Amino acid sequence: MKKIKYHLPMIKRGILTLMQIEKPFVILHIIIEIISQFAPYITIYMSARIIDELIGNQNVNTLILYILITIGANMILSLLINGLTHLKNYHQEQFYKNETMNFSEKTMSMDYENTENRDINLLRERINTESRTGYNIYNLYTALGNFVGAVINIVLAITLTLSLFANREVSLISKLIMLAMIAGIIIVNYFTANKRSKLYLNMYEDAVPLNAMFHYYAGFYSNYNAGKDIRLYSMEEFIREWQQQFYEKNNNLLITLIKKVLKHDIIYSVSSNALRIAAYIFVMLACVAGSVTVGSIAMYVSCIVRVIGAATGLVTYGQTLIVNNKYLEHYFKYLDIPSKMYQGTLPVEKRDDNEYEIEFRNVSFKYPGTNTYALKNLSMKLNIGQRLAVVGMNGSGKTTMIKLLCRLYDPTEGEITLNGFNIKKYNYDEYMSIFSVVFQDFKLFSFPLGQNVASSSDYDGKRTAECLKMSGFDARLDNMPKGLETALYKDFEEDGVEISGGEAQKIALARALYKDAPFIVLDEPTAALDPIAEFEVYSKFNEIVGGKTAIYISHRLSSCRFCDDIAVFHEGELIQRGSHDTLITDASGKYCELWNAQAQYYAENKENKQ
């Protein structure tokens, strides 16, 4: 009972999900499966009529009529199935596209903390692997169609054989013997099919981690960007060895499966053929008794055998639906991940003067699943139009502070306010709109340059070019073969342009400028730039930022001198704040320590070069 309460709702939800993704595809798939079951029975039934007519009256007109009905009915069914299949193929592509988009939208819309959660990332990778293997939602529509087809197959076969068992001239004992044999063989085939199905599914389960590894490495060595590492580190032999290990493990699984399944296949084959022999004997005795026509012999035998095949299929596909539920459970578990972050309803005031004030009030934060504070008791204000540099060693809490500011995470303790109101109360999307951020691990896409800057397929070309010029990308833009329409990278376009890390950083900076938000946050924005390009960014920093409030995160303290305010973080705490001239005078302070350490490094470098 517990199993029924688990499996039926899961299958029901799966079917409803299929319908939501692409309803026409599901309906067409089921209709085609149903119609396809009629074709063999038309031939079986009409062949019996043709044989009886040949043995009996031998009326040419009747024979021609039967032949035309057989050919015509099969032609109509074939044309109908082909037409519906073409339509289904179109909607199948829509199904794949919609399902991928739905899954991607879930990933993009979930709380950011979930995207950094190891367990959730592993669950997503598992689902992707299972989808590629054909499980979860993809296996559901296939098994469902086959299951419905098997039901229709049984109904049609029973309908055509019903007259035989209803015939009073056939002895009751022979009917009971035949029915007992059918029932017995169905039971035997149920257990063998059930066992075979479990063996196959267990093998697929064992293959899931192998497939995950295969796709990971396949993605690595098929990526043209990995070509340099493969050649420089002579990875060819390593990759071949790994492939060989994968194939050997996969082959071992298959060989083990074949050995286990063989005995069940033999049982199924023997029982099915025994039934076929018994069916022939049963029908031929009825024919000899004069109660069954010669033409009906083949029809009845074929239908009885097809009942067994369909019943076996019903068991197999039913078992597949049941076992697939655990994969659906993974699928829905991901889709059901709740959004814990409060979305808020308060609109963010649209101010032409950008008079926004943000304050951290005794904010502390622990990343989920950890007991260590990444930030402790942070209290600070961000003044309007201010140029704030945030410095500190790795792990000091700089980037964590930015994540909290942008509401990628919510504080564990304390609060952050915008113009006096807790930022949780603001509409989430509106609050996010006031920030332009360039993180260290920014992402550019294999789309045209202009779309990368605007983060949209529609963009203002003049404004895009101005932002690229401000970020220092103007010289490279002039050499782009298609200007702003030039594709980045070669993933989708043969004439795509490869860009350096420094050029990518300039494009990311241009993207932040294009958004034109009142707050601009730059997390190590010049790390990949050469010294000349870095100097250009520094010298134009005030022009780039304009009247915006700017937060500049960097490890290189020399690059922070153009900021009028510097915040020094250490081990999750704000330990110093002030201008460069003020902080450098505190000889015992962390800023002075970091400054002198870096100054010494540069001095040693200079001496070595001399």
Side-chain angles (χ1 to χ4, degrees):
M1 192 67 182
K2 289 182 179 179
K3 289 185 177 180
I4 293 175
K5 289 183 178 180
Y6 167 78
H7 288 298
L8 289 181
M10 187 68 70
I11 293 172
K12 179 182 177 182
R13 183 180 178 184
I15 294 171
L16 292 175
T17 301
L18 286 173
M19 300 291 276
Q20 290 169 359
I21 294 173
E22 186 68 11
K23 187 176 181 179
F25 165 67
V26 181
I27 294 174
L28 285 167
H29 182 66
I30 299 299
I31 290 175
I32 290 170
E33 284 293 333
I34 292 173
I35 295 175
S36 299
Q37 306 308 316
F38 282 86
Y41 288 100
I42 291 173
T43 302
I44 290 171
Y45 179 78
M46 293 308 300
S47 295
R49 303 287 72 77
I50 291 170
I51 292 172
D52 286 340
E53 186 63 31
L54 285 171
I55 295 173
N57 298 328
Q58 298 181 352
N59 187 300
V60 175
N61 291 331
T62 302
L63 287 170
I64 292 173
L65 177 62
Y66 286 164
I67 292 170
L68 290 176
I69 290 174
T70 304
I71 296 172
N74 279 299
M75 184 181 295
I76 291 171
L77 278 180
S78 178
L79 290 172
L80 182 59
I81 290 171
N82 286 335
L84 291 175
T85 299
H86 282 294
L87 189 59
K88 171 195 159 185
N89 289 340
Y90 166 77
H91 286 287
Q92 188 170 15
E93 290 300 318
Q94 300 303 307
F95 171 83
Y96 292 150
K97 180 188 74 175
N98 293 341
E99 193 282 329
T100 302
M101 285 300 298
N102 289 349
F103 204 76
S104 299
E105 285 173 4
K106 173 62 182 180
T107 302
M108 292 186 289
S109 64
M110 68 170 53
D111 291 346
Y112 178 77
E113 70 175 75
N114 290 329
T115 67
E116 293 190 333
N117 184 298
R118 176 181 175 275
D119 292 336
I120 291 176
N121 287 330
L122 288 175
L123 175 62
R124 183 173 62 250
E125 286 303 313
R126 180 186 181 94
I127 293 169
N128 287 333
T129 300
E130 290 169 355
S131 295
R132 288 191 295 265
T133 314
Y135 286 116
N136 57 58
I137 208 74
Y138 293 94
N139 199 21
L140 178 62
Y141 73 76
T142 302
L144 181 65
N146 291 334
F147 187 84
V148 172
V151 171
I152 299 300
N153 204 338
I154 291 173
V155 171
L156 291 174
I158 290 176
T159 300
L160 290 183
T161 55
L162 201 59
S163 58
L164 174 63
F165 288 94
N167 193 326
R168 294 182 179 179
E169 296 183 19
V170 179
S171 68
L172 179 61
I173 294 176
S174 60
K175 290 178 184 178
L176 292 175
I177 293 173
M178 192 69 234
L179 288 173
M181 284 194 67
I182 293 172
I185 292 173
I186 287 176
I187 292 171
V188 170
N189 285 352
Y190 166 80
F191 286 107
T192 55
N194 191 31
K195 188 64 178 179
R196 288 170 72 253
S197 179
K198 286 182 178 179
L199 287 171
Y200 274 106
L201 291 166
N202 287 337
M203 189 275 285
Y204 293 145
E205 176 72 13
D206 293 337
V208 165
L210 283 177
N211 284 324
M213 291 177 64
F214 176 78
H215 284 286
Y216 173 80
Y217 280 101
F220 171 73
Y221 66 74
S222 64
N223 184 347
Y224 68 89
N225 287 320
K228 298 186 292 294
D229 291 315
I230 291 174
R231 286 159 178 78
L232 287 171
Y233 292 97
S234 302
M235 293 182 178
E236 300 91 337
E237 187 62 31
F238 161 72
I239 292 173
R240 278 195 294 269
E241 288 177 0
W242 182 88
Q243 282 183 307
Q244 186 62 35
Q245 289 176 14
F246 168 78
Y247 292 132
E248 286 177 1
K249 289 179 181 178
N250 200 48
N251 287 338
N252 289 337
L253 281 176
L254 288 173
I255 291 170
T256 303
L257 175 69
I258 290 170
K259 289 179 180 178
K260 290 181 178 179
V261 166
L262 182 59
K263 63 180 180 180
H264 300 290
D265 286 340
I266 292 173
I267 293 172
Y268 174 76
S269 179
V270 170
S271 62
S272 296
N273 282 290
L275 178 66
R276 186 184 295 273
I277 294 170
Y280 267 113
I281 294 172
F282 172 61
V283 176
M284 288 176 67
L285 289 174
C287 180
V288 170
S291 57
V292 174
T293 64
V294 174
S296 297
I297 293 176
M299 181 183 76
Y300 288 137
V301 171
S302 296
C303 288
I304 290 171
V305 173
R306 288 184 71 85
V307 166
I308 299 301
T312 303
L314 201 64
V315 173
T316 302
Y317 303 133
Q319 181 69 19
T320 301
L321 285 171
I322 290 172
V323 175
N324 187 59
N325 279 342
K326 66 179 178 181
Y327 300 106
L328 281 178
E329 186 178 349
H330 299 156
Y331 187 85
F332 291 132
K333 182 180 178 180
Y334 187 81
L335 295 181
D336 291 340
I337 293 173
S339 178
K340 298 178 183 178
M341 186 165 283
Y342 184 71
Q343 297 298 303
T345 57
L346 192 67
V348 175
E349 184 181 4
K350 302 296 186 295
R351 303 181 65 108
D352 295 332
D353 56 7
N354 284 341
E355 287 294 315
Y356 297 103
E357 181 181 80
I358 287 183
E359 181 178 3
F360 286 74
R361 296 179 178 176
N362 199 32
V363 170
S364 296
F365 177 73
K366 297 177 184 178
Y367 281 100
T370 65
N371 295 318
T372 306
Y373 280 100
L375 276 182
K376 292 178 285 187
N377 303 319
L378 175 61
S379 294
M380 64 183 295
K381 282 187 179 181
L382 302 178
N383 300 321
I384 305 307
Q386 181 184 26
R387 311 292 192 260
L388 173 67
V390 180
V391 301
M393 299 172 67
N394 287 335
S396 60
K398 304 185 300 298
T399 300
T400 298
M401 185 268 285
I402 299 304
K403 289 179 178 179
L404 294 175
L405 174 66
C406 299
R407 277 214 77 196
L408 296 177
Y409 288 93
D410 283 334
T412 306
E413 301 166 15
E415 66 174 0
I416 305 172
T417 62
L418 170 64
N419 293 342
F421 293 96
N422 191 315
I423 60 175
K424 292 182 181 181
K425 296 182 179 181
Y426 288 100
N427 177 278
Y428 185 79
D429 292 331
E430 286 194 26
Y431 178 78
M432 296 285 277
S433 70
I434 68 174
F435 294 97
S436 288
V437 186
V438 181
F439 284 109
Q440 295 181 55
D441 54 351
F442 64 86
K443 176 67 177 177
L444 297 181
F445 301 95
S446 298
F447 300 150
L449 172 61
Q451 294 182 17
N452 268 283
V453 173
S455 299
S456 171
S457 55
D458 298 320
Y459 60 90
D460 183 329
K462 182 178 179 181
R463 182 176 158 203
T464 302
E466 288 175 354
C467 292
L468 287 167
K469 181 179 180 181
M470 291 174 66
S471 70
F473 194 80
D474 49 330
R476 184 73 167 97
L477 176 61
D478 293 338
N479 294 321
M480 289 284 189
K482 295 182 182 179
L484 295 175
E485 286 300 306
T486 303
L488 300 184
Y489 312 114
K490 298 180 181 293
D491 296 290
F492 305 118
E493 302 290 341
E494 290 184 3
D495 58 353
V497 173
E498 294 294 327
I499 56 174
S500 67
E503 289 171 336
Q505 209 157 30
K506 291 178 181 179
I507 295 171
L509 179 56
R511 177 194 288 167
L513 297 175
Y514 188 94
K515 186 177 179 182
D516 195 27
F519 286 89
I520 184 166
V521 181
L522 307 175
D523 190 356
E524 294 286 352
T526 61
L529 299 183
D530 59 66
I532 296 175
E534 183 181 43
F535 176 76
E536 290 176 354
V537 172
Y538 294 158
S539 61
K540 296 193 300 182
F541 188 75
N542 285 329
E543 177 189 346
I544 290 172
V545 173
K548 300 176 176 61
T549 301
I551 302 173
Y552 185 94
I553 302 175
S554 180
H555 288 92
R556 289 182 283 197
L557 273 63
S558 60
S559 66
C560 302
R561 296 190 63 176
F562 56 85
C563 293
D564 46 24
D565 192 12
I566 300 172
V568 184
F569 281 73
H570 184 63
E571 295 181 351
E573 296 185 78
L574 174 62
I575 58 172
Q576 287 181 287
R577 187 171 183 182
S579 66
H580 168 77
D581 293 337
T582 301
L583 295 174
I584 200 65
T585 58
D586 183 0
S588 62
K590 191 69 179 178
Y591 182 84
C592 187
E593 177 191 336
L594 294 171
W595 177 268
N596 289 332
Q598 292 188 12
Q600 181 182 358
Y601 169 78
Y602 289 124
E604 289 174 355
N605 255 0
K606 186 176 180 181
E607 289 175 5
N608 291 334
K609 288 179 181 179
Q610 290 175 347

